[in-house]
Amino acid sequence: MDGDFTARAPIELNWVRPRFAVPAAPGLSQRPGSASLFRRDFSDDALRQPVEPLFSRSELLGERQAGFDAGYAAGLAAAAASDAASRTASETQALTLIATTMAQGCQQTVRVADRAASALAKALIGSMRAVMPELIERSGLNEVGAMLDRVLPGLSREPAVRIDVPVALADYVAGTVSRLAAEQRGTITVTGIDTMTPGEVRVCWGAGHAKRQPDQVWQAVMDALQAALTDSKDPAHGE
């Protein structure tokens, strides 16, 4: 028998799907869902049939409407949020523009006020420069007489007193001195000086002197006003 092999044709096995429902096995029908599973038709024709829908038409329409409503509500909310953001941005931009305009208006107002004040100060200083010399000259007699009335009584024991005044006031001052007591009148000398300005007077004695110089006082006032006016100018105004 050894080495004696006989060729044989291969065996073909063809499986044919049963065209009948498979009965339920005993005991399986007791499990939940097993009865319906085994009652199902697994034939080719049955399998070619479309599967029964899991949802009804009304359920699909309901879900469709629910989705539409949710999307529509979300769209409305997004539109409202976008509109609110746009309105907020517009209001912010408008308020910024208003604030900028107000700031510029305030700056222009301050600039105009400064220019008006500067012009007024210049006009006032110009008017004072024109009026004060004449006023000093007109009030010179009274001012000199008032000064001598305050200074001379305290010099009654001085051995020598010299009073220097403008030439135009020499006679007036001499008349004032003549009304003093004889012992004091004899120690006082009145001298007219050509270079002295109206209202100016100088009283000299051994221990000191007293003087009134209205022109210098007035010039010092004018210089202070002019300096204050110059310091108050804003370089940004180009003045």
Side-chain angles (χ1 to χ4, degrees):
M1 296 295 291
D2 294 338
D4 184 9
F5 295 95
T6 303
R8 295 180 182 180
I11 299 174
E12 294 182 0
L13 297 178
N14 294 325
W15 172 259
V16 179
R17 184 185 299 276
R19 295 179 180 277
F20 54 87
V22 178
L28 294 177
S29 60
Q30 302 301 324
R31 298 178 182 177
S34 61
S36 60
L37 175 63
F38 285 99
R39 286 196 299 271
R40 183 174 177 181
D41 187 2
F42 288 97
S43 64
D44 290 339
D45 293 337
L47 293 176
R48 291 190 183 98
Q49 298 297 325
V51 180
E52 295 181 1
L54 299 178
F55 302 98
S56 63
R57 180 178 178 81
S58 61
E59 290 175 340
L60 290 175
L61 292 177
E63 291 298 326
R64 177 178 179 275
Q65 186 63 38
F68 176 82
D69 294 341
Y72 185 75
L76 289 179
S82 177
D83 182 67
S86 177
R87 183 168 57 253
T88 301
S90 299
E91 291 176 354
T92 302
Q93 184 178 7
L95 291 175
T96 302
L97 179 60
I98 292 173
T100 303
T101 304
M102 292 180 64
Q104 293 176 352
C106 291
Q107 293 177 356
Q108 292 179 358
T109 301
V110 171
R111 187 179 297 110
V112 172
D114 288 344
R115 290 179 177 177
S118 178
L120 181 61
K122 290 179 179 179
L124 179 61
I125 292 175
S127 300
M128 294 175 68
R129 287 187 182 278
V131 173
M132 286 304 296
E134 182 180 358
L135 181 61
I136 291 174
E137 184 176 359
R138 291 173 58 182
S139 61
L141 292 177
N142 294 332
E143 296 294 335
V144 169
M147 177 182 174
L148 295 178
D149 290 341
R150 293 177 65 87
V151 173
L152 293 181
L155 302 178
S156 59
R157 297 183 180 274
E158 291 292 329
V161 176
R162 187 182 78 252
I163 301 176
D164 297 332
V165 294
V167 175
L169 297 181
D171 294 340
Y172 170 78
V173 173
T176 302
V177 170
S178 64
R179 293 193 294 269
L180 298 175
E183 59 272 14
Q184 185 179 7
R185 183 173 62 241
T187 62
I188 298 176
T189 303
V190 178
T191 305
I193 307 296
D194 295 333
T195 58
M196 298 184 70
T197 59
E200 187 175 359
V201 59
R202 183 170 56 247
V203 181
C204 301
W205 61 93
H209 68 275
K211 60 183 179 179
R212 180 178 183 272
Q213 295 175 306
D215 284 349
Q216 294 184 8
V217 174
W218 171 243
Q219 187 60 44
V221 172
M222 288 292 99
D223 292 342
L225 291 176
Q226 189 65 40
L229 181 61
T230 302
D231 293 340
S232 65
K233 293 178 181 178
D234 187 356
H237 295 168
E239 295 180 355

